[in-house]
Amino acid sequence: MAESIKDFLFENVGSPVEEQEFKLERFKSPFKIKSLTADEVSDLRKQATKRVLNRKTHKYEQDTDENAFQDLVVAAAVVSPNLNNAELQESWGCIARPEAILKKMLKVGEYTDLSEAIMDLSGLNTDDSSEELVEEAKN
C-alpha cells in the first residue's frame, strides 16, 4: 500500500498534545494536565543533566538527576493551576521554583498519582510487562 505524505501532515493528524482534568479530593478545582511532546521531554532531560568529572577516568560524563527530571516533567505538564503564578508561589514558599510547588502542595500519594496520569497521557508509561519480565528473569 502506497503511503501518502499527506497522512503525516499536521493538518491531517493534529497536535500530539492532549489535555485532561485530574481531580484530587483535597482541592476544590481539578488540576488540568497536558501531554508532553518528545521535544519537550528532551529539553527537560537536558535541564536535569549536568556534566560531571569522573575522577577515575578524568573525563567529563553526562549525569542526569532522575528525580529532578521527573519534577520538571510533572511541572511542565500542569496547565492549571499556573505554577508560575506569583501568589501561588508565595503561598507555598517556592518563589521562582514552579517544579517545587507541587511537592509542597501534594501528599506523596497525590504526587505519584498526578505523575502517573501525566506519564500515561504523554505515552511514557508502558504496561507492566517490563516489570513482569524483570521478575521473571529473577526467578
Side-chain angles (χ1 to χ4, degrees):
M1 179 179 253
E3 300 176 352
S4 169
I5 197 69
K6 292 184 186 299
D7 293 345
F8 299 94
L9 297 178
F10 180 83
E11 56 270 16
N12 295 329
V13 177
S15 173
V17 178
E18 298 175 52
E19 288 188 1
Q20 74 180 35
E21 289 187 347
F22 184 81
K23 183 73 176 117
L24 289 170
E25 210 173 289
R26 291 187 315 120
F27 298 90
K28 191 174 186 177
S29 297
F31 285 73
K32 185 183 280 185
I33 60 175
K34 68 173 186 163
S35 61
L36 299 175
T37 64
D39 199 30
E40 290 171 309
V41 171
S42 180
D43 288 343
L44 296 171
R45 183 169 294 282
K46 285 177 189 168
Q47 288 179 42
T49 301
K50 294 183 172 82
R51 286 182 46 161
V52 293
L53 181 63
N54 182 324
R55 294 178 190 265
K56 291 180 183 175
T57 64
H58 302 287
K59 293 183 180 179
Y60 281 95
E61 298 174 350
Q62 301 290 332
D63 183 40
T64 301
D65 181 336
E66 292 298 328
N67 290 328
F69 172 63
Q70 174 89 8
D71 294 344
L72 290 168
V73 165
V74 173
V78 172
V79 176
S80 177
N82 177 356
L83 301 180
N84 291 308
N85 178 281
E87 184 179 1
L88 184 67
Q89 290 181 356
E90 286 176 30
S91 172
W92 291 98
C94 293
I95 308 302
R97 293 181 37 233
E99 69 282 355
I101 293 173
L102 292 169
K103 286 193 149 182
K104 289 202 175 212
M105 286 175 75
L106 304 176
K107 296 176 182 178
V108 68
E110 293 170 335
Y111 187 84
T112 300
D113 292 345
L114 178 64
S115 177
E116 286 180 6
I118 289 165
M119 298 300 172
D120 287 342
L121 189 60
S122 297
L124 292 171
N125 275 348
T126 57
D127 59 9
D128 293 337
S129 61
S130 59
E131 289 178 27
E132 291 170 11
L133 290 174
V134 171
E135 284 301 314
E136 204 173 291
K138 288 180 184 176
N139 296 331

